[in-house]
Amino acid sequence: MSYDFSHLHRFPGGLRLASHKDLSTTRPIAHLPLPRRLTLPLSQHIGLPAVPLVEAGERVYKGQMIAAAEGYISAPVHASSSGTVVAIAELPIPHPSGLSAPCIVIDTDGKDEWLPTLAGVDDVLLRDPAELRNLIRNAGIVGLGGAGFPASVKLNTGLERRIDLLVLNGAECEPYISCDDLLMRERAADIIAGLRILRHVLNAAQCVIGVEDNKPEAMEALRAALAQGPDEGIQVVAVPTRYPAGGEKQLIQVLTGLEVPSQGLPADLGILCHNVGTAAAVYQALTRGHPLVSRIVTVSGDGVTEPCNVEVPIGTPIAELIAFCGGYTRDVRRLLMGGPMMGIALPSDQLPVIKTCNCILAATDATLAPTKPQLPCIRCSECAVACPANLLPQQLYWHAHARDLDAVQEYDLFDCIECGCCAQVCPSHIPLVQYFRYAKTEIWDQEREREKADLARLRHEFRLERLEREKREKAERHKQKRKALDTPAGDDDPRKAAIAAALERVKARKSVADEVPRNTDNLTPEQQRQIEEANRRRAAARSHKADTDNGAQD
Ligand code: SF4
Ligand code: SF4
């Protein structure tokens, strides 16, 4: 299938939001000085947490894998600088739950020394795609747009299905976030090189880079980088600035007019979408051997003195990042990870930057309107009009509020991308997304509990079956033993013959013992001779009797 991008399409709903990207786009990407301490959570991605490979006290190099991926959907974690592991402990992480999670803590040594064995791959585009997928997995690359889905797992869908179109997502539609914009302006060549690698891995027929039309410098830089290489038909397409155009499904719909099916994946349409930052990380990993140890973070909002984009080692304390940007302004009220629409509130800045952290927003009342008291739903349907996923947010809210988890699923809760458009337009100030997140978490918890109960039931059934089998086997062994003992010894059974002979010997010893008088030490020689004579006569009589018996039997 071939796509024509000369005519674009629209997704339903969405909002036109005031842009605040210029707050952080006036300066080039800055580099944070090396922090003294790095805290690396084992779970910075969708999927199972990584498993530590190091212990406290161990020295590590920058780029060394310190925790391995566990299971298929997971990603390893690498040291973002050289130093010493000082702890592996439960520490607070930036997560909507606000809970702590296992982290590896490294005290840096200031040398920032790369692992000497790290090396890139020659002739990347001639390599086997399976080998490249494996290298991408080992580099710990996850979707850098904010979702954190392991990049190699997404690439594996190309194994099962034919991919006609690879979309690189440079839309970046949240009002304050500009890290992708700056990346495209300054490192367009890395992005294009990464795109070529991804295309080779997927064997994708067509490639397109979708960029919101409020980023003309970025588009110009990408087109210039493309012009440096051969004409491969890769297009940079300007998509209208309308929130949430950066949503994977929405961008695909704008570019192709195709709607990803409910609960389906873009791969169902033969399309795969990666973020521009992910493409640049793939290039770094395969050509230099550098795993994902840093990322660009937008620090913005009226609550920070000098908003800008900063390249930060993963694990850096957010407080150091804010300090690097001149510190807080006096009227700062809230701290968010992500943008004002989809970001999560942070309880403090004593948390580490993780792989999915694209923005730290220090908000004042001017940045984010203060939360207003919630009023009852008036059934105005404004939320449904604004929903880009064609959902009925008021129905979802109604059932989530009533904790009717079956009903929310019937209303396609899991198609909700948590974009926040519905909550933004709701005249009753209902925090709709919070209800939807809550319902999703409840369903996942229930699912986990059900899986646990199923596992426990299976274990119990296996145990009962094992006990029953052991009982049967024991009974069978007893039966065999008894049968062996009850059967008379035959000439052809040496074991039984040996038992019979042993019994005969015992019997013979017993009869002799009965006949020999005890306490004969004090007898006179004459008395002893008489006893021996009597024994000899008895033995002769027994022998004669045995011969007579045998003759009778014959
Ligand atoms: S916008 Fe708010 S008040 Fe209106 S129907 Fe939706 S939830 Fe109810
Ligand atoms: S948060 Fe969910 S329900 Fe609300 S507008 Fe976005 S996709 Fe629709």
Side-chain angles (χ1 to χ4, degrees), residues 188-224:
D190 288 11
I191 296 170
I192 300 300
L195 174 62
R196 288 193 181 111
I197 296 169
L198 292 171
R199 181 184 200 171
H200 169 64
V201 172
L202 291 164
N203 194 24
Q206 233 180 321
C207 289
V208 63
I209 309 175
V211 184
E212 266 192 347
D213 57 12
N214 60 359
K215 303 178 187 65
E217 295 97 330
M219 281 189 280
E220 199 179 312
L222 289 171
R223 287 184 181 128

PDB file of all heavy atoms in Angstrom, residues 188-224:
ATOM      1  N   ALA A 188      19.415  16.874  13.583  1.00  0.00           N
ATOM      2  CA  ALA A 188      18.570  16.294  12.531  1.00  0.00           C
ATOM      3  C   ALA A 188      19.266  15.124  11.843  1.00  0.00           C
ATOM      4  O   ALA A 188      18.624  14.119  11.498  1.00  0.00           O
ATOM      5  CB  ALA A 188      18.208  17.377  11.518  1.00  0.00           C
ATOM      6  N   ALA A 189      20.595  15.226  11.668  1.00  0.00           N
ATOM      7  CA  ALA A 189      21.326  14.148  10.979  1.00  0.00           C
ATOM      8  C   ALA A 189      21.242  12.834  11.769  1.00  0.00           C
ATOM      9  O   ALA A 189      21.101  11.760  11.176  1.00  0.00           O
ATOM     10  CB  ALA A 189      22.785  14.556  10.788  1.00  0.00           C
ATOM     11  N   ASP A 190      21.314  12.921  13.111  1.00  0.00           N
ATOM     12  CA  ASP A 190      21.196  11.711  13.950  1.00  0.00           C
ATOM     13  C   ASP A 190      19.810  11.080  13.768  1.00  0.00           C
ATOM     14  O   ASP A 190      19.671   9.854  13.691  1.00  0.00           O
ATOM     15  CB  ASP A 190      21.366  12.054  15.440  1.00  0.00           C
ATOM     16  CG  ASP A 190      22.807  12.404  15.792  1.00  0.00           C
ATOM     17  OD1 ASP A 190      23.608  12.575  14.853  1.00  0.00           O
ATOM     18  OD2 ASP A 190      23.112  12.503  16.994  1.00  0.00           O
ATOM     19  N   ILE A 191      18.795  11.944  13.720  1.00  0.00           N
ATOM     20  CA  ILE A 191      17.414  11.439  13.581  1.00  0.00           C
ATOM     21  C   ILE A 191      17.250  10.731  12.239  1.00  0.00           C
ATOM     22  O   ILE A 191      16.691   9.622  12.170  1.00  0.00           O
ATOM     23  CB  ILE A 191      16.393  12.600  13.714  1.00  0.00           C
ATOM     24  CG1 ILE A 191      16.462  13.189  15.122  1.00  0.00           C
ATOM     25  CG2 ILE A 191      14.988  12.135  13.378  1.00  0.00           C
ATOM     26  CD1 ILE A 191      15.691  14.487  15.298  1.00  0.00           C
ATOM     27  N   ILE A 192      17.759  11.345  11.182  1.00  0.00           N
ATOM     28  CA  ILE A 192      17.612  10.731   9.853  1.00  0.00           C
ATOM     29  C   ILE A 192      18.389   9.404   9.798  1.00  0.00           C
ATOM     30  O   ILE A 192      17.896   8.409   9.253  1.00  0.00           O
ATOM     31  CB  ILE A 192      18.103  11.697   8.747  1.00  0.00           C
ATOM     32  CG1 ILE A 192      17.271  12.993   8.772  1.00  0.00           C
ATOM     33  CG2 ILE A 192      18.051  11.030   7.373  1.00  0.00           C
ATOM     34  CD1 ILE A 192      15.781  12.823   8.539  1.00  0.00           C
ATOM     35  N   ALA A 193      19.597   9.387  10.390  1.00  0.00           N
ATOM     36  CA  ALA A 193      20.383   8.135  10.402  1.00  0.00           C
ATOM     37  C   ALA A 193      19.640   7.055  11.192  1.00  0.00           C
ATOM     38  O   ALA A 193      19.603   5.884  10.787  1.00  0.00           O
ATOM     39  CB  ALA A 193      21.758   8.398  11.005  1.00  0.00           C
ATOM     40  N   GLY A 194      19.028   7.453  12.316  1.00  0.00           N
ATOM     41  CA  GLY A 194      18.248   6.496  13.124  1.00  0.00           C
ATOM     42  C   GLY A 194      17.033   6.004  12.359  1.00  0.00           C
ATOM     43  O   GLY A 194      16.679   4.821  12.430  1.00  0.00           O
ATOM     44  N   LEU A 195      16.405   6.907  11.609  1.00  0.00           N
ATOM     45  CA  LEU A 195      15.226   6.530  10.803  1.00  0.00           C
ATOM     46  C   LEU A 195      15.612   5.480   9.753  1.00  0.00           C
ATOM     47  O   LEU A 195      14.885   4.502   9.534  1.00  0.00           O
ATOM     48  CB  LEU A 195      14.649   7.783  10.132  1.00  0.00           C
ATOM     49  CG  LEU A 195      13.514   7.552   9.140  1.00  0.00           C
ATOM     50  CD1 LEU A 195      12.306   6.940   9.814  1.00  0.00           C
ATOM     51  CD2 LEU A 195      13.117   8.871   8.475  1.00  0.00           C
ATOM     52  N   ARG A 196      16.779   5.667   9.132  1.00  0.00           N
ATOM     53  CA  ARG A 196      17.224   4.685   8.111  1.00  0.00           C
ATOM     54  C   ARG A 196      17.424   3.309   8.753  1.00  0.00           C
ATOM     55  O   ARG A 196      17.072   2.285   8.175  1.00  0.00           O
ATOM     56  CB  ARG A 196      18.540   5.148   7.479  1.00  0.00           C
ATOM     57  CG  ARG A 196      18.344   6.333   6.562  1.00  0.00           C
ATOM     58  CD  ARG A 196      19.569   6.589   5.700  1.00  0.00           C
ATOM     59  NE  ARG A 196      19.325   7.747   4.862  1.00  0.00           N
ATOM     60  CZ  ARG A 196      19.932   8.920   4.990  1.00  0.00           C
ATOM     61  NH1 ARG A 196      20.868   9.094   5.915  1.00  0.00           N
ATOM     62  NH2 ARG A 196      19.634   9.932   4.203  1.00  0.00           N
ATOM     63  N   ILE A 197      17.989   3.309   9.984  1.00  0.00           N
ATOM     64  CA  ILE A 197      18.202   2.022  10.676  1.00  0.00           C
ATOM     65  C   ILE A 197      16.849   1.365  10.980  1.00  0.00           C
ATOM     66  O   ILE A 197      16.646   0.181  10.732  1.00  0.00           O
ATOM     67  CB  ILE A 197      19.013   2.227  11.978  1.00  0.00           C
ATOM     68  CG1 ILE A 197      20.416   2.751  11.638  1.00  0.00           C
ATOM     69  CG2 ILE A 197      19.106   0.929  12.767  1.00  0.00           C
ATOM     70  CD1 ILE A 197      21.211   3.239  12.844  1.00  0.00           C
ATOM     71  N   LEU A 198      15.920   2.168  11.523  1.00  0.00           N
ATOM     72  CA  LEU A 198      14.592   1.615  11.864  1.00  0.00           C
ATOM     73  C   LEU A 198      13.900   1.082  10.608  1.00  0.00           C
ATOM     74  O   LEU A 198      13.271   0.018  10.625  1.00  0.00           O
ATOM     75  CB  LEU A 198      13.730   2.695  12.528  1.00  0.00           C
ATOM     76  CG  LEU A 198      14.181   3.153  13.922  1.00  0.00           C
ATOM     77  CD1 LEU A 198      13.373   4.365  14.378  1.00  0.00           C
ATOM     78  CD2 LEU A 198      14.047   2.020  14.932  1.00  0.00           C
ATOM     79  N   ARG A 199      14.041   1.797   9.522  1.00  0.00           N
ATOM     80  CA  ARG A 199      13.408   1.377   8.263  1.00  0.00           C
ATOM     81  C   ARG A 199      14.005   0.039   7.810  1.00  0.00           C
ATOM     82  O   ARG A 199      13.282  -0.856   7.383  1.00  0.00           O
ATOM     83  CB  ARG A 199      13.651   2.449   7.199  1.00  0.00           C
ATOM     84  CG  ARG A 199      13.023   2.109   5.887  1.00  0.00           C
ATOM     85  CD  ARG A 199      13.360   3.146   4.839  1.00  0.00           C
ATOM     86  NE  ARG A 199      12.399   3.079   3.752  1.00  0.00           N
ATOM     87  CZ  ARG A 199      12.330   3.959   2.776  1.00  0.00           C
ATOM     88  NH1 ARG A 199      13.141   4.988   2.751  1.00  0.00           N
ATOM     89  NH2 ARG A 199      11.452   3.831   1.806  1.00  0.00           N
ATOM     90  N   HIS A 200      15.341  -0.081   7.943  1.00  0.00           N
ATOM     91  CA  HIS A 200      16.004  -1.331   7.558  1.00  0.00           C
ATOM     92  C   HIS A 200      15.519  -2.488   8.445  1.00  0.00           C
ATOM     93  O   HIS A 200      15.225  -3.583   7.945  1.00  0.00           O
ATOM     94  CB  HIS A 200      17.524  -1.143   7.688  1.00  0.00           C
ATOM     95  CG  HIS A 200      18.303  -2.408   7.572  1.00  0.00           C
ATOM     96  ND1 HIS A 200      18.340  -3.174   6.421  1.00  0.00           N
ATOM     97  CD2 HIS A 200      19.061  -3.085   8.476  1.00  0.00           C
ATOM     98  CE1 HIS A 200      19.088  -4.245   6.613  1.00  0.00           C
ATOM     99  NE2 HIS A 200      19.537  -4.218   7.846  1.00  0.00           N
ATOM    100  N   VAL A 201      15.423  -2.239   9.758  1.00  0.00           N
ATOM    101  CA  VAL A 201      14.982  -3.295  10.685  1.00  0.00           C
ATOM    102  C   VAL A 201      13.569  -3.768  10.346  1.00  0.00           C
ATOM    103  O   VAL A 201      13.260  -4.955  10.405  1.00  0.00           O
ATOM    104  CB  VAL A 201      15.053  -2.790  12.152  1.00  0.00           C
ATOM    105  CG1 VAL A 201      14.421  -3.783  13.111  1.00  0.00           C
ATOM    106  CG2 VAL A 201      16.500  -2.527  12.550  1.00  0.00           C
ATOM    107  N   LEU A 202      12.715  -2.816   9.960  1.00  0.00           N
ATOM    108  CA  LEU A 202      11.312  -3.151   9.691  1.00  0.00           C
ATOM    109  C   LEU A 202      11.050  -3.518   8.237  1.00  0.00           C
ATOM    110  O   LEU A 202       9.963  -3.981   7.899  1.00  0.00           O
ATOM    111  CB  LEU A 202      10.425  -1.946  10.047  1.00  0.00           C
ATOM    112  CG  LEU A 202      10.317  -1.611  11.530  1.00  0.00           C
ATOM    113  CD1 LEU A 202       9.752  -0.216  11.714  1.00  0.00           C
ATOM    114  CD2 LEU A 202       9.449  -2.642  12.238  1.00  0.00           C
ATOM    115  N   ASN A 203      12.023  -3.222   7.404  1.00  0.00           N
ATOM    116  CA  ASN A 203      11.844  -3.397   5.952  1.00  0.00           C
ATOM    117  C   ASN A 203      10.602  -2.625   5.485  1.00  0.00           C
ATOM    118  O   ASN A 203       9.784  -3.126   4.690  1.00  0.00           O
ATOM    119  CB  ASN A 203      11.720  -4.889   5.619  1.00  0.00           C
ATOM    120  CG  ASN A 203      11.874  -5.145   4.137  1.00  0.00           C
ATOM    121  OD1 ASN A 203      12.492  -4.334   3.434  1.00  0.00           O
ATOM    122  ND2 ASN A 203      11.322  -6.235   3.659  1.00  0.00           N
ATOM    123  N   ALA A 204      10.454  -1.410   6.034  1.00  0.00           N
ATOM    124  CA  ALA A 204       9.269  -0.597   5.720  1.00  0.00           C
ATOM    125  C   ALA A 204       9.398   0.009   4.324  1.00  0.00           C
ATOM    126  O   ALA A 204      10.450   0.518   3.955  1.00  0.00           O
ATOM    127  CB  ALA A 204       9.121   0.511   6.759  1.00  0.00           C
ATOM    128  N   ALA A 205       8.312  -0.041   3.578  1.00  0.00           N
ATOM    129  CA  ALA A 205       8.342   0.451   2.197  1.00  0.00           C
ATOM    130  C   ALA A 205       8.430   1.980   2.155  1.00  0.00           C
ATOM    131  O   ALA A 205       9.143   2.549   1.334  1.00  0.00           O
ATOM    132  CB  ALA A 205       7.088  -0.021   1.473  1.00  0.00           C
ATOM    133  N   GLN A 206       7.712   2.650   3.068  1.00  0.00           N
ATOM    134  CA  GLN A 206       7.608   4.110   3.011  1.00  0.00           C
ATOM    135  C   GLN A 206       7.900   4.713   4.382  1.00  0.00           C
ATOM    136  O   GLN A 206       7.589   4.091   5.412  1.00  0.00           O
ATOM    137  CB  GLN A 206       6.166   4.473   2.617  1.00  0.00           C
ATOM    138  CG  GLN A 206       6.068   5.395   1.429  1.00  0.00           C
ATOM    139  CD  GLN A 206       4.613   5.695   1.100  1.00  0.00           C
ATOM    140  OE1 GLN A 206       3.755   4.805   1.181  1.00  0.00           O
ATOM    141  NE2 GLN A 206       4.336   6.932   0.746  1.00  0.00           N
ATOM    142  N   CYS A 207       8.473   5.925   4.400  1.00  0.00           N
ATOM    143  CA  CYS A 207       8.743   6.620   5.679  1.00  0.00           C
ATOM    144  C   CYS A 207       8.263   8.057   5.596  1.00  0.00           C
ATOM    145  O   CYS A 207       8.391   8.696   4.542  1.00  0.00           O
ATOM    146  CB  CYS A 207      10.243   6.687   5.950  1.00  0.00           C
ATOM    147  SG  CYS A 207      10.972   5.132   6.359  1.00  0.00           S
ATOM    148  N   VAL A 208       7.757   8.539   6.713  1.00  0.00           N
ATOM    149  CA  VAL A 208       7.339   9.941   6.766  1.00  0.00           C
ATOM    150  C   VAL A 208       7.645  10.492   8.161  1.00  0.00           C
ATOM    151  O   VAL A 208       7.586   9.750   9.146  1.00  0.00           O
ATOM    152  CB  VAL A 208       5.827  10.073   6.429  1.00  0.00           C
ATOM    153  CG1 VAL A 208       4.954   9.356   7.447  1.00  0.00           C
ATOM    154  CG2 VAL A 208       5.405  11.523   6.331  1.00  0.00           C
ATOM    155  N   ILE A 209       8.027  11.765   8.217  1.00  0.00           N
ATOM    156  CA  ILE A 209       8.235  12.410   9.521  1.00  0.00           C
ATOM    157  C   ILE A 209       7.144  13.461   9.663  1.00  0.00           C
ATOM    158  O   ILE A 209       7.051  14.396   8.850  1.00  0.00           O
ATOM    159  CB  ILE A 209       9.629  13.077   9.607  1.00  0.00           C
ATOM    160  CG1 ILE A 209      10.721  12.085   9.199  1.00  0.00           C
ATOM    161  CG2 ILE A 209       9.887  13.592  11.025  1.00  0.00           C
ATOM    162  CD1 ILE A 209      12.114  12.688   9.129  1.00  0.00           C
ATOM    163  N   GLY A 210       6.295  13.304  10.671  1.00  0.00           N
ATOM    164  CA  GLY A 210       5.197  14.247  10.897  1.00  0.00           C
ATOM    165  C   GLY A 210       5.613  15.272  11.950  1.00  0.00           C
ATOM    166  O   GLY A 210       6.002  14.900  13.058  1.00  0.00           O
ATOM    167  N   VAL A 211       5.566  16.552  11.580  1.00  0.00           N
ATOM    168  CA  VAL A 211       5.975  17.633  12.497  1.00  0.00           C
ATOM    169  C   VAL A 211       4.863  18.682  12.518  1.00  0.00           C
ATOM    170  O   VAL A 211       4.344  19.055  11.450  1.00  0.00           O
ATOM    171  CB  VAL A 211       7.301  18.281  12.015  1.00  0.00           C
ATOM    172  CG1 VAL A 211       7.780  19.340  12.999  1.00  0.00           C
ATOM    173  CG2 VAL A 211       8.376  17.228  11.809  1.00  0.00           C
ATOM    174  N   GLU A 212       4.486  19.155  13.709  1.00  0.00           N
ATOM    175  CA  GLU A 212       3.459  20.207  13.771  1.00  0.00           C
ATOM    176  C   GLU A 212       3.978  21.462  13.073  1.00  0.00           C
ATOM    177  O   GLU A 212       5.170  21.790  13.183  1.00  0.00           O
ATOM    178  CB  GLU A 212       3.110  20.523  15.231  1.00  0.00           C
ATOM    179  CG  GLU A 212       1.911  19.713  15.702  1.00  0.00           C
ATOM    180  CD  GLU A 212       1.336  20.190  17.028  1.00  0.00           C
ATOM    181  OE1 GLU A 212       2.009  20.993  17.718  1.00  0.00           O
ATOM    182  OE2 GLU A 212       0.237  19.776  17.377  1.00  0.00           O
ATOM    183  N   ASP A 213       3.068  22.164  12.407  1.00  0.00           N
ATOM    184  CA  ASP A 213       3.506  23.299  11.566  1.00  0.00           C
ATOM    185  C   ASP A 213       3.963  24.521  12.365  1.00  0.00           C
ATOM    186  O   ASP A 213       4.274  25.561  11.779  1.00  0.00           O
ATOM    187  CB  ASP A 213       2.416  23.667  10.542  1.00  0.00           C
ATOM    188  CG  ASP A 213       1.088  23.990  11.202  1.00  0.00           C
ATOM    189  OD1 ASP A 213       1.056  24.150  12.439  1.00  0.00           O
ATOM    190  OD2 ASP A 213       0.061  24.065  10.484  1.00  0.00           O
ATOM    191  N   ASN A 214       4.032  24.402  13.709  1.00  0.00           N
ATOM    192  CA  ASN A 214       4.594  25.507  14.499  1.00  0.00           C
ATOM    193  C   ASN A 214       6.094  25.304  14.754  1.00  0.00           C
ATOM    194  O   ASN A 214       6.680  25.982  15.596  1.00  0.00           O
ATOM    195  CB  ASN A 214       3.839  25.668  15.833  1.00  0.00           C
ATOM    196  CG  ASN A 214       3.913  24.403  16.688  1.00  0.00           C
ATOM    197  OD1 ASN A 214       4.506  23.396  16.276  1.00  0.00           O
ATOM    198  ND2 ASN A 214       3.306  24.444  17.856  1.00  0.00           N
ATOM    199  N   LYS A 215       6.737  24.405  13.994  1.00  0.00           N
ATOM    200  CA  LYS A 215       8.173  24.149  14.175  1.00  0.00           C
ATOM    201  C   LYS A 215       8.907  24.246  12.838  1.00  0.00           C
ATOM    202  O   LYS A 215       9.500  23.268  12.348  1.00  0.00           O
ATOM    203  CB  LYS A 215       8.400  22.741  14.769  1.00  0.00           C
ATOM    204  CG  LYS A 215       7.691  22.517  16.099  1.00  0.00           C
ATOM    205  CD  LYS A 215       7.911  21.106  16.605  1.00  0.00           C
ATOM    206  CE  LYS A 215       7.072  20.826  17.820  1.00  0.00           C
ATOM    207  NZ  LYS A 215       5.610  20.828  17.593  1.00  0.00           N
ATOM    208  N   PRO A 216       8.891  25.415  12.225  1.00  0.00           N
ATOM    209  CA  PRO A 216       9.491  25.534  10.887  1.00  0.00           C
ATOM    210  C   PRO A 216      11.002  25.267  10.886  1.00  0.00           C
ATOM    211  O   PRO A 216      11.520  24.654   9.950  1.00  0.00           O
ATOM    212  CB  PRO A 216       9.187  26.990  10.491  1.00  0.00           C
ATOM    213  CG  PRO A 216       8.844  27.694  11.761  1.00  0.00           C
ATOM    214  CD  PRO A 216       8.297  26.678  12.688  1.00  0.00           C
ATOM    215  N   GLU A 217      11.717  25.681  11.944  1.00  0.00           N
ATOM    216  CA  GLU A 217      13.180  25.452  11.980  1.00  0.00           C
ATOM    217  C   GLU A 217      13.491  23.963  12.006  1.00  0.00           C
ATOM    218  O   GLU A 217      14.434  23.504  11.348  1.00  0.00           O
ATOM    219  CB  GLU A 217      13.815  26.117  13.216  1.00  0.00           C
ATOM    220  CG  GLU A 217      13.738  27.627  13.222  1.00  0.00           C
ATOM    221  CD  GLU A 217      12.568  28.119  14.045  1.00  0.00           C
ATOM    222  OE1 GLU A 217      11.543  27.389  14.121  1.00  0.00           O
ATOM    223  OE2 GLU A 217      12.640  29.221  14.593  1.00  0.00           O
ATOM    224  N   ALA A 218      12.692  23.238  12.767  1.00  0.00           N
ATOM    225  CA  ALA A 218      12.913  21.787  12.867  1.00  0.00           C
ATOM    226  C   ALA A 218      12.715  21.126  11.506  1.00  0.00           C
ATOM    227  O   ALA A 218      13.516  20.283  11.081  1.00  0.00           O
ATOM    228  CB  ALA A 218      11.957  21.188  13.898  1.00  0.00           C
ATOM    229  N   MET A 219      11.656  21.515  10.823  1.00  0.00           N
ATOM    230  CA  MET A 219      11.367  20.898   9.505  1.00  0.00           C
ATOM    231  C   MET A 219      12.475  21.218   8.507  1.00  0.00           C
ATOM    232  O   MET A 219      12.903  20.358   7.740  1.00  0.00           O
ATOM    233  CB  MET A 219      10.014  21.392   8.995  1.00  0.00           C
ATOM    234  CG  MET A 219       8.872  20.662   9.677  1.00  0.00           C
ATOM    235  SD  MET A 219       7.277  21.006   8.956  1.00  0.00           S
ATOM    236  CE  MET A 219       6.917  22.586   9.696  1.00  0.00           C
ATOM    237  N   GLU A 220      12.940  22.461   8.570  1.00  0.00           N
ATOM    238  CA  GLU A 220      14.015  22.880   7.655  1.00  0.00           C
ATOM    239  C   GLU A 220      15.278  22.043   7.910  1.00  0.00           C
ATOM    240  O   GLU A 220      15.931  21.570   6.976  1.00  0.00           O
ATOM    241  CB  GLU A 220      14.312  24.365   7.893  1.00  0.00           C
ATOM    242  CG  GLU A 220      15.040  25.015   6.750  1.00  0.00           C
ATOM    243  CD  GLU A 220      15.271  26.491   7.052  1.00  0.00           C
ATOM    244  OE1 GLU A 220      14.308  27.171   7.473  1.00  0.00           O
ATOM    245  OE2 GLU A 220      16.417  26.920   6.907  1.00  0.00           O
ATOM    246  N   ALA A 221      15.610  21.849   9.193  1.00  0.00           N
ATOM    247  CA  ALA A 221      16.814  21.079   9.540  1.00  0.00           C
ATOM    248  C   ALA A 221      16.676  19.628   9.076  1.00  0.00           C
ATOM    249  O   ALA A 221      17.631  19.044   8.546  1.00  0.00           O
ATOM    250  CB  ALA A 221      17.032  21.129  11.051  1.00  0.00           C
ATOM    251  N   LEU A 222      15.500  19.042   9.241  1.00  0.00           N
ATOM    252  CA  LEU A 222      15.292  17.648   8.818  1.00  0.00           C
ATOM    253  C   LEU A 222      15.423  17.527   7.296  1.00  0.00           C
ATOM    254  O   LEU A 222      16.052  16.596   6.786  1.00  0.00           O
ATOM    255  CB  LEU A 222      13.908  17.169   9.264  1.00  0.00           C
ATOM    256  CG  LEU A 222      13.722  16.933  10.773  1.00  0.00           C
ATOM    257  CD1 LEU A 222      12.260  16.684  11.103  1.00  0.00           C
ATOM    258  CD2 LEU A 222      14.562  15.748  11.261  1.00  0.00           C
ATOM    259  N   ARG A 223      14.830  18.482   6.582  1.00  0.00           N
ATOM    260  CA  ARG A 223      14.886  18.426   5.107  1.00  0.00           C
ATOM    261  C   ARG A 223      16.334  18.599   4.643  1.00  0.00           C
ATOM    262  O   ARG A 223      16.777  17.920   3.704  1.00  0.00           O
ATOM    263  CB  ARG A 223      13.992  19.504   4.493  1.00  0.00           C
ATOM    264  CG  ARG A 223      12.524  19.131   4.647  1.00  0.00           C
ATOM    265  CD  ARG A 223      11.581  20.108   3.980  1.00  0.00           C
ATOM    266  NE  ARG A 223      10.199  19.694   4.193  1.00  0.00           N
ATOM    267  CZ  ARG A 223       9.234  20.465   4.678  1.00  0.00           C
ATOM    268  NH1 ARG A 223       9.494  21.722   5.006  1.00  0.00           N
ATOM    269  NH2 ARG A 223       8.015  20.006   4.830  1.00  0.00           N
ATOM    270  N   ALA A 224      17.085  19.479   5.324  1.00  0.00           N
ATOM    271  CA  ALA A 224      18.497  19.681   4.957  1.00  0.00           C
ATOM    272  C   ALA A 224      19.289  18.391   5.193  1.00  0.00           C
ATOM    273  O   ALA A 224      20.127  18.005   4.370  1.00  0.00           O
ATOM    274  CB  ALA A 224      19.084  20.827   5.770  1.00  0.00           C
TER     275      ALA A 224
END
